[in-house]
Amino acid sequence: MTRFFLRRSAGFVATLFGVSFVVFWVMNVVPGDPALVILGIDSTPEAQEALRRLLGLDQPFALRYLAWLAGMLVGDFGTSYAFRVPVADLIVERLPLTLSLAMTGMTVTIVLALGLGVLAAANHNRPVDWSVMLVSQVGIAVPAFWLSILLVIIFAVHLRWLPPGGFPGWSDPLGAARALVLPTIALAAVQSAVLARVVRASLLEVARLDFVRTARASGLARSRILWLHMLPNALVPIVTIVGMQFANVLTGTIVIENVFSLPGLGRLVFQAISNRDLPLVQALVVLFATIVVVMNFLVDIAYGVIDPKLRPAA
Amino acid sequence: MKTILATLLLASSLLTGVAFAKTDISIGMQQEPTSLDPTADATASIETMMTGNVYEQLTAVQEDGSVAASLAREWTISDDGLTYVFKLRDGVKFHDGSPLSAETVKFSLDRAMAKDSANPSKSIFEPIESVTVVDPVTVEMKLKRKDAFFLFNLASGKASIMSPAAIATNADKPIGSGPYRFASWTRGDRLTLEKNPDHRDATGVQVERVTFRFMSDPAAATAALMAEEIDAFPGFPAPELLPQFQSDPRFSVNVGTTEGEVILAFNNSRKPFTDIRVRQALSYAIDRKAIIDGAMYGLATPIGSFYPPHHRAYVDLTGTYPTDVDKAKALLAEAGVAEGTELSLRVPPFPYATRSAEIIQSQFAKAGIQVKIENVEWGFWLDEIYKKLNYDMTIIAHTSPNDLGNFARDASYFYGYDNAEYHQLWDRIQTETDTAHRDELSREAQKFLAREAVHGFLFQLPALNVVRKELTGFRMSSPVQAQPLSALRWQASN
Amino acid sequence: MRPKRPVSLVIGAALVGLVVAAALVSLVWTPHDYEAIDVAQRFLPPSAEHWLGTDQFGRDVVSQLMAGARSSVAIAFVAVLLGGVVGSLMGLVAASAGGLVEDAVMRLTDFSLAFPALLFAIMLGALFGPSFANAVVAIAFISVPVFARVVRGAALQVRSQDYVLAARAGARTPAHILWDHVVPNVLPAITVLATIEFAIAILVEAALSYLGLGVQPPTPSWGRMLAQAQTLLYLAPQLAIYPGLCIMIAVLGFNMLGDGLRDAADPRLTEGR
Amino acid sequence: MLAIEDLTVAYGGNAAVRRASLTIAAGERIGIVGESGSGKSTLALALMGMVADAARVEGSIRIGGIEMAGAHEKAWRVVRGRKVAMIFQEPLSALNPLRRVGETVAEPLRILNGMDRNAAQARTLALFKEVGLPDPEAKARQYPHQLSGGQRQRVLIALALSRDPAILIADEPTSALDAQVGLRIVELLNDLARRRGMSVVFISHDLASVARATDRLCVMYGGDVIETGPTAAVLAAPHHPYTAGLVAARPRIDARRERRARMATIEGVVPALADLTEGCRFAGRCRSEMPHCAGERPRVSISAQGRTVCCHLTDAAVTASEARVFA
């Protein structure tokens, strides 16, 4: 078990290291001078030079990268060029929104997908099954940003049930919840369509196994067998996809937050890249990558929880 | 729900005949600021929200462009135009309670002028020789040369008078001396200001609470206005959406003017633009009306040179190069530019630019020029086009006031334009303090630039404002980036 | 009893055929010049002249959509080809070399899967400016690890069956075994995956164009049409509907074709993704 | 105890079981024998009400006197496990791999018999002991993949016994096991039937196991019950040509191989469901085939000693010329 953790952690650190280096390097060669972006086209070269010195941009690349790494080790993510406040503060400020969006998106995805997938599998090769499959096939094909636009037209512009965008802050829980409804639907629609198909397929796979017959033969109800016997056995592929989808949802928020004017990490990363705000981009990308890697790790752990055969030897 | 409530309140106020005075206001802004310190960041929305509201300056620019007193009660200018003596208002306090004095004025200006200053408009401080404290309420400034725009420039947010103690925290917790003080900021979503009860003009300020809502997407902004979530949207980003509001009795729609000249910039240092005939040919190929109709839905004034049409010194030069494809072709042939020559058009990510680009592309095609459009990101634009001059053509709006001086920079400026004659002309404009004479010189400069066809001059960026009918005091045109909030009033509707 | 297989294969092939046909036909003919701007003719309703009306610049929508199909199909095709070849080679090499090489290749795919793809595309756009080539590279980058993993998995499976046999049959080099046994057996998996990746590529291309990172004007692209139509929702909502529907049809087509092919080839492949 | 009459199970137009009749008395051990595709498993599933939803069931199935043919799922659930229980061929896949085997056995006790957790557990351990699992407490905590094949089958038997069924259907319970292990499972079933007075339906294609495990035999071919009778008698003197062939094909260690070699198999293969004819389904493979065999279904004739046979040759006693007395 310890070995397993050690190996995973080593891979984890290596991945993050690689990601951070690539980002740092790319952000360095990308055309665009943060000082110029911040000061605008009417600024004097002298002021730009002064700002570059202030931001430490006059230091050589390697030195800056090492300094950044050293800072990371002691938990200092640096100071944003454009916002002029610690990067950690900016992230802490915006993480809750993005995480809640990703969480609600994932929750809706899972609930919807399990419902539809189980429904389809339980009615295999019947009209219900075909309709679910058709709906999910269409769902997969819908571009999330287009769906977002359609949702805004229908629910915000015409029906005026929900706000078209913006976020009133957590101090207004009802408003916050309302603001998250449409983005959540936009995020979850596509993902749940994908997941529902996986749920159905792996349930059908499991349905062929003999233990399902055994359970029926012992008198258990079909619904109980479906949910408590078959579904757990179908979970390995489902969890794998859920893990991948969490990453998708997380990057999906980049687009969704822009469409719905939500002040989350997705908007922030967009802004940070266009401002050439290296410390911020760096921290955000590393954060995204961390979440993805941790998610993969959790998925691996989940395999063991689900299936005793897959538990790493003690 | 909100609509119903508002209707109810409106109805009740009509019934009782008592004006219902709303004391808060919500204003939509397209551009999301990264910092709230105008002396550190050039983002225009920072100035719009903060200048004259949270931060005050020695002077203030009125809607008509004239300069008025602000923190400076009055001033005297020496006959040679090189010494300014400002008398400050008494008893002004910053929001943190610290007093404003001649010392703080000197501190703020010295900081902006300093060698290591990263002030975005550092050039406006360039003429200043020294700032001296005469007594606690008197500041004397000596200039190196005469500067016609000095008082105007001192009204800029970049010349804000700041509390020395607050310099480090102004980026996200601004402390100024203005009629409004900072309340809260949810980055990326909203900024809330509240009335400063200690301000000298506090009694005249009606609106207690102002919330700026950041919405970059025009569709979202429209929906928010329609849903009455916001009361005003100055600088509404999408002209195509205005008819929606014009037909709605709740709103007044105003098309104001700005200082933003939109140009099809030619890289004058690069072939074939070094040849004036090519520049003129392309100017003939431009159909401004089609561009304004297509890109701005007709809501912009065409310009024939580099000067805002609302200015008293403006000359209409749009007739200099009337649309004439044959003439364009002839001039191009004369200049040896082959039919089908490909030129790149690198476009920054602003709707006015990206839309104009596609129309210009089709117009130039008729004149035998293949335009290769490349929509680039702002950081990329600044580096590749602005800094490295790596482009043939681009489309950009110059939003600074009094910016005829752009053409008097040397060839390293992104125009790649350097003309000794014009340098002289600009020197005279800059140092001419007599208004009438200066206007005359400005007219001459406009004609010069049109004649030279330095760029394709397209149109003046309009200020599109959507404002609730009951709301008055809104500044519709902006000679500077500022939207004074203390003048806002809710009127009883009738 | 199983009507689904031929149905999804037929519908998928029909939709893909429609999109590809539109793309090909647009090379030689569109109802109107899709670049022709005439502002006076803008926002026209559908008519005999303009079947779906005109856009904000007075361009014919049908012509734009047809030419947009060309951009989508071309980018998706080149990107999937690139990603498929590179990824499959990586997968094959990993599976046949084993050991350190395999480890390295798999870590590389881990790495690229951990890297937010959209961010990569945005950075690429910022680095080189947006273009056809950048969209292709960004999309290929996304599909490489998927190909690598699936092909490696399939190759390992085949190899475990055939390797011993082949080795016993005669002194064949690993390369021969790879070519004779592994490649033909992995090919169906690659084909099916390619169709699905094609669908994904069309979606990603649309998203990139939507963000302004795809092909540049005047070449039409569904994603950019959508982005431009976004502010016109009140004025001409249909302009946002058409390109979205086109994207949907194309993606639906390729997905259903992929499903159909997969079922026809080997129902067991379902577990691959 | 259980009586089926004229039972037909059909998928689409094809009958997997055709007008089968069979009775099982309390405590009786009956074997159902046939090649794969003969309909024996379908028949067994029909007795559990577990044929596929799409299948058409006609005729009568009376369990404990109650007519179950055409009964709804709900009615069947009362029967399953309590009156009729079933164990399957593949003991590994027949157990939920994600559950400890103790939980698997305890679940129906808790859910359907309303026992609390402790009672269900105690009962599970008792059952484990009854089926001869060593160290029941430890075994109950293990997962299927941690047990041997024989142990898994014992767990399945414990599960089947848990609700004290009157009839236990064992569908090829030994064929996935080693011979020795299989033998012990057969012994266990015999033992349980004796002690509990429980009927056992033992389905197999292995005549040796059947001979050991059953009192009575039912031979199926192509969906038809072609012969029934006391196991020993049927094996000793099969009446139906197919049964005779089957008995002859039985591998025998002590046989004189050279002589048997020609007779060891029945030529041809079991026809596919869709190819079945109206007449005797063995027609085409039968060594004693007569012209009308293929077109006309033989009647069931009842002979002495409780034997039935379904063959046009019925009265012409099938000689034992092709079979040997079962040792």
Side-chain angles (χ1 to χ4, degrees):
Chain A
M1 201 69 183
T2 325
R3 260 197 59 151
F4 171 73
F5 271 102
L6 277 179
R7 268 196 59 169
R8 292 299 304 236
S9 309
F12 173 78
V13 171
T15 305
L16 287 190
F17 184 77
V19 168
S20 77
F21 183 80
V22 169
V23 174
F24 206 93
W25 175 74
V26 170
M27 284 301 287
N28 247 284
V29 292
V30 161
D33 174 358
L36 187 53
V37 176
I38 293 166
L39 294 180
I41 59 175
D42 290 331
S43 58
T44 62
E46 192 199 358
Q48 292 161 21
E49 197 45 52
L51 185 57
R52 266 192 287 275
R53 266 199 310 279
L54 193 72
L55 301 176
L57 286 168
D58 50 342
Q59 303 286 322
F61 168 78
L63 214 64
R64 280 162 49 214
Y65 183 63
L66 288 177
W68 178 82
L69 269 188
M72 281 290 282
L73 289 180
V74 295
D76 175 11
F77 293 84
T79 302
S80 155
Y81 291 166
F83 290 91
R84 311 288 172 92
V85 291
V87 164
D89 292 1
L90 289 172
I91 291 178
V92 166
E93 191 178 275
R94 299 209 181 190
L95 191 62
L97 175 56
T98 299
L99 271 191
S100 349
L101 190 54
M103 291 293 186
T104 55
M106 256 350 270
T107 310
V108 173
T109 297
I110 291 169
V111 170
L112 215 62
L114 285 184
L116 289 176
V118 169
L119 188 70
N123 293 288
H124 183 43
N125 266 338
R126 275 188 256 168
V128 177
D129 182 20
W130 298 330
S131 336
V132 170
M133 283 301 93
L134 186 72
V135 168
S136 71
Q137 193 67 273
V138 171
I140 293 172
V142 170
F145 52 92
W146 186 56
L147 183 64
S148 309
I149 296 172
L150 292 185
L151 288 175
V152 170
I153 300 184
I154 297 169
F155 294 102
V157 174
H158 283 295
L159 297 175
R160 297 218 197 151
W161 290 354
L162 293 160
F167 188 72
W170 297 107
S171 52
D172 173 8
L174 184 70
R178 280 164 48 87
L180 288 183
V181 173
L182 291 183
T184 299
I185 296 174
L187 269 180
V190 178
Q191 304 296 343
S192 57
V194 174
L195 192 60
R197 296 179 75 83
V198 175
V199 170
R200 171 182 174 274
S202 50
L203 276 178
L204 290 180
E205 199 77 9
V206 170
R208 299 206 299 245
L209 299 181
D210 288 347
F211 76 83
V212 177
R213 243 175 16 179
T214 310
R216 267 191 91 192
S218 52
L220 295 174
R222 270 186 178 184
S223 58
R224 184 180 176 88
I225 298 171
L226 200 59
W227 289 99
L228 295 180
H229 288 251
M230 290 168 66
L231 195 58
N233 275 281
L235 272 185
V236 166
I238 296 174
V239 165
T240 309
I241 300 294
V242 166
M244 286 165 65
Q245 284 190 315
F246 193 82
N248 288 346
V249 163
L250 212 57
T251 42
T253 58
I254 298 180
V255 174
I256 297 290
E257 286 179 6
N258 276 294
V259 174
F260 289 98
S261 305
L262 295 175
L265 292 178
R267 270 279 281 298
L268 191 63
V269 80
F270 224 76
Q271 216 180 355
I273 291 177
S274 55
N275 283 331
R276 300 290 182 271
D277 198 339
L278 177 59
L280 192 50
V281 174
Q282 185 74 316
L284 285 170
V285 173
V286 169
L287 180 72
F288 274 119
T290 306
I291 294 175
V292 171
V293 174
V294 168
M295 218 44 223
N296 288 342
F297 183 67
L298 289 180
V299 165
D300 281 1
I301 302 232
Y303 289 162
V305 173
I306 294 166
D307 191 340
K309 271 179 290 185
L310 301 176
R311 272 171 212 166
Chain B
M1 190 62 216
K2 222 177 154 185
T3 325
I4 299 170
L5 207 67
T7 320
L8 280 175
L9 288 169
L10 200 71
S12 69
S13 73
L14 283 172
L15 282 173
T16 55
V18 174
F20 171 71
K22 210 176 146 184
T23 57
D24 63 335
I25 183 171
S26 190
I27 301 174
M29 296 290 284
Q30 200 206 357
Q31 205 179 22
E32 177 185 326
T34 46
S35 152
L36 298 179
D37 181 352
T39 68
D41 191 311
T43 307
S45 59
I46 303 176
E47 283 232 35
T48 311
M49 298 185 296
M50 311 304 284
T51 306
N53 296 323
V54 174
Y55 301 112
E56 290 183 302
Q57 298 71 31
L58 289 177
T59 59
V61 173
Q62 306 292 93
E63 192 163 1
D64 64 2
S66 62
V67 178
S70 179
L71 284 176
R73 187 158 40 88
E74 55 186 36
W75 52 84
T76 53
I77 309 170
S78 65
D79 290 342
D80 60 0
L82 291 178
T83 306
Y84 286 67
V85 176
F86 294 91
K87 284 280 179 196
L88 304 182
R89 277 178 211 280
D90 261 333
V92 175
K93 278 193 163 40
F94 287 108
H95 301 147
D96 61 357
S98 60
L100 181 137
S101 68
E103 288 292 344
T104 42
V105 172
K106 177 176 164 57
F107 166 83
S108 298
L109 295 179
D110 279 351
R111 174 172 168 265
M113 290 155 55
K115 192 161 173 46
D116 63 350
S117 151
N119 191 298
S121 295
K122 212 172 169 183
S123 60
I124 65 178
F125 306 102
E126 182 267 329
I128 304 179
E129 170 81 43
S130 67
V131 182
T132 325
V133 175
V134 178
D135 64 52
V137 290
T138 313
V139 184
E140 184 191 86
M141 294 186 209
K142 286 229 184 290
L143 301 194
K144 298 172 198 160
R145 56 169 172 80
K146 284 210 283 190
D147 182 0
F149 307 112
F150 188 57
L151 288 172
F152 188 97
N153 285 344
L154 282 182
S156 160
K158 275 89 178 177
S160 296
I161 307 304
M162 291 175 165
S163 163
I167 292 302
T169 51
N170 274 342
D172 61 339
K173 218 182 238 101
I175 299 287
S177 58
Y180 283 90
R181 64 187 180 197
F182 172 79
S184 68
W185 182 26
T186 310
R187 284 189 188 80
D189 186 59
R190 65 189 65 199
L191 168 71
T192 307
L193 303 181
E194 60 193 17
K195 183 177 164 180
N196 172 14
D198 301 330
H199 192 260
R200 55 186 180 278
D201 296 330
T203 46
V205 175
Q206 191 212 47
V207 176
E208 301 275 346
R209 221 177 152 75
V210 180
T211 305
F212 291 101
R213 296 275 310 270
F214 308 114
M215 347 195 102
S216 52
D217 180 33
T222 305
L225 277 164
M226 287 292 169
E228 303 185 1
E229 280 188 22
I230 51 179
D231 304 307
F233 206 115
F236 193 79
E240 64 273 28
L241 293 176
L242 285 189
Q244 180 86 1
F245 301 107
Q246 279 162 338
S247 60
D248 191 321
R250 290 175 297 168
F251 301 101
S252 71
V253 176
N254 183 286
V255 182
T257 57
T258 69
E259 295 288 322
E261 297 87 10
V262 179
I263 57 170
L264 171 67
F266 302 136
N267 185 348
N268 281 263
S269 65
R270 201 186 253 199
K271 272 190 175 159
F273 301 103
T274 45
D275 188 332
I276 186 171
R277 287 171 299 188
V278 175
R279 304 197 301 260
Q280 287 172 332
L282 295 180
S283 300
Y284 278 118
I286 290 171
D287 178 356
R288 285 191 195 85
K289 188 177 173 338
I291 295 171
I292 292 168
D293 281 349
M296 304 305 292
Y297 293 75
L299 295 174
T301 317
I303 52 171
S305 184
F306 199 73
Y307 213 68
H310 58 85
H311 201 280
R312 60 178 182 277
Y314 174 76
V315 200
D316 185 353
L317 295 164
T318 48
T320 315
Y321 305 103
T323 310
D324 187 339
V325 176
D326 295 332
K327 202 154 188 178
K329 279 186 169 167
L331 276 167
L332 284 171
E334 204 180 301
V337 175
E339 179 124 12
T341 297
E342 190 182 89
L343 294 173
S344 82
L345 175 56
R346 300 187 118 176
V347 192
F350 308 119
Y352 69 81
T354 49
R355 290 177 185 174
S356 301
E358 292 199 40
I359 302 171
I360 287 171
Q361 185 177 47
S362 80
Q363 290 177 358
F364 281 14
K366 288 177 200 153
I369 294 290
Q370 290 298 316
V371 175
K372 185 171 159 263
I373 292 182
E374 212 180 311
N375 287 312
V376 301
E377 186 235 4
W378 185 230
F380 186 97
W381 190 92
L382 285 173
D383 211 29
E384 286 290 309
I385 288 98
Y386 183 78
K387 215 167 154 186
K388 300 195 184 125
L389 276 71
N390 185 12
Y391 77 107
D392 293 335
M393 298 182 289
T394 188
I395 298 174
I396 190 73
H398 278 277
T399 54
S400 295
N402 307 317
D403 47 8
L404 278 170
N406 286 353
F407 296 84
R409 304 200 188 187
D410 56 28
S412 68
Y413 190 59
F414 81 105
Y415 296 172
Y417 184 71
D418 200 354
N419 185 307
E421 203 182 320
Y422 190 80
H423 275 277
Q424 283 174 8
L425 190 55
W426 172 244
D427 277 347
R428 284 163 64 201
I429 295 173
Q430 210 180 4
T431 52
E432 179 56 67
T433 40
D434 177 68
T435 314
H437 202 191
R438 190 170 69 231
D439 287 352
E440 197 40 55
L441 290 171
S442 297
R443 287 188 194 102
E444 204 175 304
Q446 292 172 50
K447 287 175 196 150
F448 184 97
L449 295 176
R451 212 165 42 240
E452 276 278 290
V454 183
H455 299 311
F457 300 102
L458 302 179
F459 54 86
Q460 196 72 11
L461 220 49
L464 308 176
N465 305 294
V466 182
V467 180
R468 289 299 297 268
K469 275 249 169 72
E470 308 91 316
L471 189 64
T472 62
F474 220 84
R475 203 175 253 199
M476 296 301 183
S477 296
S478 51
V480 288
Q481 295 285 353
Q483 185 57 256
L485 302 169
S486 49
L488 297 180
R489 299 281 182 275
W490 282 108
Q491 305 293 328
S493 55
N494 40 19
Chain C
M1 275 318 281
R2 294 173 296 191
K4 282 207 68 215
R5 286 180 189 179
V7 167
S8 76
L9 197 66
V10 168
I11 296 181
L15 293 181
V16 167
L18 184 73
V19 173
V20 173
L24 289 179
V25 169
S26 79
L27 286 172
V28 290
W29 177 84
T30 52
H32 292 265
D33 178 0
Y34 58 81
E35 292 181 23
I37 287 180
D38 183 356
V39 176
Q41 298 280 303
R42 75 167 147 217
F43 300 132
L44 290 183
S47 64
E49 174 81 5
H50 300 283
W51 302 333
L52 292 177
T54 58
D55 74 355
Q56 70 276 17
F57 290 138
R59 294 175 298 205
D60 181 54
V61 170
V62 171
S63 309
Q64 290 253 316
L65 290 174
M66 285 174 71
R70 190 165 72 202
S71 308
S72 284
V73 170
I75 289 187
F77 181 78
V78 181
V80 171
L81 192 69
L82 185 68
V85 168
V86 173
S88 303
L89 281 179
M90 277 169 67
L92 283 176
V93 166
S96 51
L100 267 180
V101 177
E102 182 172 14
D103 254 13
V105 171
M106 286 303 105
R107 288 296 79 74
L108 209 63
T109 62
D110 275 349
F111 168 75
S112 42
L113 284 174
F115 203 96
L118 198 61
L119 279 186
F120 178 78
I122 294 171
M123 286 186 171
L124 215 61
L127 190 53
F128 301 110
S131 67
F132 181 92
N134 278 347
V136 164
V137 171
I139 295 168
F141 177 85
I142 299 169
S143 64
V144 163
V146 181
F147 273 105
R149 291 185 157 231
V150 170
V151 169
R152 170 180 163 269
L156 284 181
Q157 217 168 22
V158 174
R159 224 183 51 155
S160 66
Q161 292 160 6
D162 285 358
Y163 197 75
V164 181
L165 239 168
R168 214 190 294 150
R172 316 259 357 224
T173 63
H176 272 116
I177 296 164
L178 196 71
W179 186 251
D180 291 349
H181 299 278
V182 180
V183 170
N185 281 298
V186 168
L187 223 48
I190 295 180
T191 316
V192 170
L193 187 57
T195 355
I196 291 159
E197 285 298 314
F198 213 104
I200 293 174
I202 286 179
L203 267 181
V204 176
E205 190 275 333
L208 289 181
S209 297
Y210 176 75
L211 294 172
L213 297 167
V215 292
Q216 295 298 300
T219 314
S221 122
W222 293 338
R224 202 176 58 248
M225 289 173 77
L226 207 46
Q228 290 181 341
Q230 204 176 339
T231 64
L232 302 168
L233 289 182
Y234 293 89
L235 215 57
Q238 74 277 9
L239 292 182
I241 308 284
Y242 299 141
L245 277 179
C246 286
I247 296 169
M248 212 178 82
I249 287 171
V251 175
L252 192 64
F254 278 102
N255 268 333
M256 291 187 90
L257 185 66
D259 273 12
L261 283 178
R262 175 169 52 204
D263 285 348
D266 180 0
R268 298 245 115 212
L269 280 173
T270 318
E271 290 146 87
R273 283 175 69 96
Chain D
M1 191 60 244
L2 183 145
I4 60 173
E5 222 179 299
D6 272 350
L7 179 70
T8 298
V9 181
Y11 298 98
N14 308 315
V17 172
R18 182 165 68 160
R19 306 190 63 177
S21 297
L22 189 69
T23 56
I24 301 163
E28 191 181 23
R29 300 176 302 153
I30 186 161
I32 301 182
V33 183
E35 293 168 82
S36 27
S38 62
K40 57 187 196 300
S41 290
T42 305
L43 181 63
L45 287 176
L47 297 181
M48 298 292 294
M50 277 168 56
V51 289
D53 295 341
R56 182 165 49 83
V57 178
E58 281 165 10
S60 156
I61 306 172
R62 276 201 308 282
I63 300 174
I66 301 164
E67 179 56 57
M68 292 305 295
H72 282 290
E73 175 75 10
K74 219 167 180 176
W76 272 112
R77 274 178 48 213
V78 178
V79 169
R80 281 184 212 138
R82 220 166 59 184
K83 290 187 179 162
V84 193
M86 187 166 179
I87 59 174
F88 298 96
Q89 178 175 8
E90 186 57 68
L92 176 58
S93 61
L95 283 168
N96 187 335
L98 307 188
R99 293 195 172 209
R100 297 173 200 274
V101 295
E103 292 166 23
T104 301
V105 176
E107 187 186 14
L109 292 172
R110 284 193 296 112
I111 303 302
L112 303 170
N113 286 22
M115 289 190 185
D116 64 24
R117 198 166 284 274
N118 288 333
Q121 195 184 355
R123 174 94 172 105
T124 302
L125 295 181
L127 283 165
F128 278 9
K129 202 172 234 163
E130 188 181 354
V131 299
L133 274 170
D135 195 0
E137 282 92 354
K139 291 288 175 258
R141 279 194 300 273
Q142 294 200 299
Y143 288 97
H145 71 276
Q146 294 166 318
L147 300 179
S148 72
Q151 288 172 336
R152 284 181 211 133
Q153 195 58 287
R154 282 169 199 269
V155 169
L156 280 166
I157 294 171
L159 172 64
L161 295 179
S162 62
R163 301 175 66 214
D164 299 317
I167 304 168
L168 174 68
I169 303 173
D171 188 2
E172 309 230 13
T174 59
S175 50
L177 303 174
D178 290 346
Q180 282 306 306
V181 179
L183 223 55
R184 271 191 238 115
I185 294 292
V186 169
E187 279 162 16
L188 173 65
L189 289 176
N190 285 341
D191 200 32
L192 290 169
R194 197 169 53 244
R195 266 190 295 149
R196 291 179 160 241
M198 178 177 68
S199 310
V200 172
V201 179
F202 191 99
I203 299 169
S204 181
H205 58 261
D206 173 18
L207 290 183
S209 305
V210 173
R212 256 175 229 276
T214 62
D215 309 317
R216 220 148 63 83
L217 198 58
C218 160
V219 184
M220 290 190 71
Y221 183 84
D224 290 345
V225 172
I226 51 164
E227 184 165 7
T228 66
T231 309
V234 173
L235 290 180
H239 287 174
H240 195 284
Y242 173 69
T243 317
L246 209 59
V247 171
R250 180 163 53 103
R252 287 180 55 183
I253 300 160
D254 60 328
R256 283 157 289 181
R257 279 161 208 228
E258 311 86 67
R259 260 198 56 189
R260 293 273 155 248
R262 274 177 296 156
M263 317 299 259
T265 56
I266 303 172
E267 280 167 30
V269 288
V270 181
L273 215 51
D275 302 334
L276 291 176
T277 56
E278 255 313 296
C280 175
R281 285 175 168 177
F282 193 48
R285 287 176 82 191
C286 185
R287 290 173 157 255
S288 319
E289 187 170 343
M290 297 176 290
H292 61 288
C293 279
E296 197 179 308
R297 189 171 179 202
R299 279 185 320 193
V300 176
S301 39
I302 303 169
S303 68
Q305 301 122 22
R307 293 182 67 165
T308 66
V309 66
C310 179
C311 180
H312 288 295
L313 293 172
T314 305
D315 290 325
V318 179
T319 59
S321 67
E322 293 177 318
R324 286 277 136 186
V325 177
F326 184 70

